[in-house]
Amino acid sequence: MVKDNPLDPEVSAEAGRRIEEHDFDALDVLCVKHRESAAQIRALEEAYWSDRLDATVDASHVLSEMLIGRLVVNRYRIRRCLGEGSSGVVFEALDVRLGRAVAFKVLKHPFPGRSVCDRFLKGTRALVKSHHRGIATIYDVGSTLFGLPFYVMDLVEGETLAAVLERVKGRRPDTLLRRHLRANAADENHAADARGDGMGSQVGQGYVFGLVRIIARVPDAPDHAHGTGVIHRDVKPGNILIGAGGEPLIVDFGLAGGPGLGMSTSGDRHAGTPMYMAPEQVRGERSSIGPWTDVYALGVTLYHCLALRPPYDEEGTAVFLKILEGGAKSVRHFNPAVPSELERVIAKAMAVQPEKRYGTAASLHADLLNVFTRRPVSARRDLPWSAIVKHARAALVYACLA
């Protein structure tokens, strides 16, 4: 068709200028004015963005240039980039029909094939199927120009736990206060912290119990998802959004799997973020992935937020070896303000063997609430064999002397 109807040179030149200037409204007008050549004009734009993306490793930056300012499907005016996850880039957009701000997530990989689109849409189905107050709600789904899939969800004001970690980076964890969990901490006075909250010393423990209070509410959402047969597989600080009122929200189900999605977890053998992957993910044991896999990631997330460093900070394949071996240093080694009960809860959640972890996210949720309310936890300290032998010998000697 293009050969039979070559694009007029003047129209081609004007289209090239509009594309270079990112003047999307003028480009739309040009397509309407020259309807017979609209497909060729769009082909020029697709080729332009394809070349740009081939020449960069920062796809999110190019996608921002491609989308910001554009009116997508005659409804969503893209305003600014909010961040990116494992599978997509999230923008703030204006829903011009309803006059409200929304979060607009588009696939990170441009001009994708069917398998990539299917994986992205799988995450969308996971969000829809796992409808819960602690999971982002989907309002719309569709595709942009060039077949790029997107979905629209509620725009939540807040920040991720990853942003909290970045803000307190370089500080000693046992010197943090509860207010350091809030984005506007630098603008607040210290009087509220000095008053105390009944949770122990404000220095150190104020931050610890404030964090536990937030994260204790997180497992409820994945537990609900697990009940529908959906495993997140990529729980981490960057995927836990803290709303303005302190309520946590699980986002980015782009790597989700499970029978609830009409598929097994075999689509991506090593799906996940290395630092937070469970041993069964590292080994690629597809049949072993279950709710306990997300429990492990929640344990690592809690460890990272309390110690201000991950349990294993090696890079590349070295971190996989550490995960398989286990034996991370106690979180109390880096943050003495962590109570021993919480230390045991984290150790149980991060056990190498799945059967030694909490079997469900609800069980982890219950023990975190026990920590917060200062009640006994179900997690018990695992003594090394040498310690067991030592205690046994001491008991034998005591019995002989009695």
Side-chain angles (χ1 to χ4, degrees):
M1 179 177 177
V2 175
K3 290 183 179 179
D4 295 339
N5 301 286
L7 186 61
D8 181 273
E10 291 186 6
V11 176
S12 178
E14 183 177 356
R17 287 196 302 272
R18 300 305 185 189
I19 294 170
E20 289 281 355
E21 295 168 358
H22 302 169
D23 192 345
F24 305 124
D25 288 341
L27 194 64
D28 291 342
V29 171
L30 189 66
C31 287
V32 172
K33 184 178 179 181
H34 301 277
R35 285 189 175 88
E36 72 285 355
S37 302
Q40 293 159 293
I41 293 171
R42 292 305 185 192
L44 281 178
E45 185 184 9
E46 180 174 349
Y48 169 82
W49 291 117
S50 181
D51 290 343
R52 289 283 312 280
L53 288 159
D54 286 342
T56 183
V57 294
D58 189 358
S60 63
H61 175 72
V62 178
L63 284 171
S64 295
E65 291 187 341
M66 187 197 313
L67 293 174
I68 291 177
R70 191 189 290 272
L71 183 65
V72 178
V73 295
N74 292 318
R75 180 168 183 176
Y76 303 107
R77 178 74 69 180
I78 310 301
R79 288 173 163 174
R80 63 190 179 101
C81 181
L82 298 176
E84 61 180 292
S86 59
S87 61
V89 181
V90 182
F91 296 88
E92 178 186 331
L94 173 67
D95 183 342
V96 297
R97 292 185 190 174
L98 300 179
R100 66 176 180 181
V102 294
F104 182 98
K105 182 172 181 178
V106 66
L107 186 65
K108 184 189 299 184
H109 307 284
F111 314 115
R114 178 177 294 275
S115 62
V116 179
C117 286
D118 285 347
R119 192 177 88 173
F120 183 82
L121 292 174
K122 175 186 70 176
T124 308
R125 293 198 300 273
L127 284 169
V128 173
K129 189 173 182 64
S130 304
H131 181 67
H132 184 271
R133 66 181 181 277
I135 300 175
T137 302
I138 297 290
Y139 293 122
D140 193 11
V141 64
S143 59
T144 69
L145 292 170
F146 324 127
L148 203 61
F150 72 84
Y151 61 79
V152 178
M153 54 189 173
D154 195 19
L155 180 65
V156 179
E157 295 296 332
E159 64 175 355
T160 64
L161 280 176
V164 174
L165 287 171
E166 184 62 28
R167 192 171 60 249
V168 299
K169 187 176 181 180
R171 299 181 64 108
R172 280 179 47 193
D174 58 337
T175 65
L176 295 177
L177 302 167
R178 186 172 49 172
R179 63 184 179 83
H180 288 117
L181 291 166
R182 299 189 288 272
N184 60 347
D187 300 324
E188 298 179 0
N189 61 51
H190 297 238
D193 295 306
R195 286 197 296 269
D197 62 355
M199 296 300 169
S201 167
Q202 281 300 300
V203 177
Q205 286 201 350
Y207 172 83
V208 168
F209 280 94
L211 185 66
V212 170
R213 184 174 187 176
I214 292 172
I215 294 187
R217 286 177 283 177
V218 173
D220 190 42
D223 185 66
H224 174 81
H226 298 159
T228 65
V230 174
I231 310 300
H232 191 287
R233 296 198 298 171
D234 197 27
V235 176
K236 59 184 178 181
N239 285 339
I240 299 176
L241 182 66
I242 308 302
E247 67 284 356
L249 192 72
I250 294 284
V251 298
D252 198 349
F253 275 68
L255 297 181
L261 297 178
M263 61 190 76
S264 70
T265 55
S266 62
D268 302 286
R269 187 174 181 184
H270 296 287
T273 302
M275 192 183 300
Y276 303 93
M277 288 172 66
E280 58 270 23
Q281 287 176 287
V282 172
R283 288 191 293 264
E285 296 175 350
R286 302 162 180 170
S287 61
S288 297
I289 292 175
W292 44 86
T293 304
D294 286 345
V295 165
Y296 181 93
L298 282 167
V300 177
T301 295
L302 189 52
Y303 184 112
H304 192 171
C305 291
L306 289 170
L308 303 190
R309 51 163 289 161
Y312 311 110
D313 56 2
E314 285 77 9
E315 297 182 357
T317 57
V319 71
F320 291 145
L321 294 176
K322 286 291 186 179
I323 290 171
L324 294 175
E325 293 172 0
K329 289 184 178 179
S330 164
V331 67
R332 283 169 56 85
H333 176 82
F334 301 104
N335 188 348
V338 174
S340 59
E341 293 80 7
L342 181 55
E343 175 189 35
R344 297 202 301 271
V345 169
I346 294 172
K348 181 173 181 177
M350 288 177 52
V352 173
Q353 296 85 3
E355 63 273 13
K356 290 189 176 181
R357 297 177 210 150
Y358 293 96
T360 64
S363 300
L364 173 59
H365 168 75
D367 250 2
L368 287 175
L369 288 180
N370 287 335
V371 170
F372 186 74
T373 56
R374 296 185 179 276
R375 290 181 293 186
V377 298
S378 66
R380 295 291 178 261
R381 186 186 303 276
D382 287 334
L383 292 175
W385 180 249
S386 59
I388 293 175
V389 172
K390 181 178 179 180
H391 284 290
R393 285 176 176 171
L396 181 60
V397 170
Y398 180 80
C400 291
L401 293 175

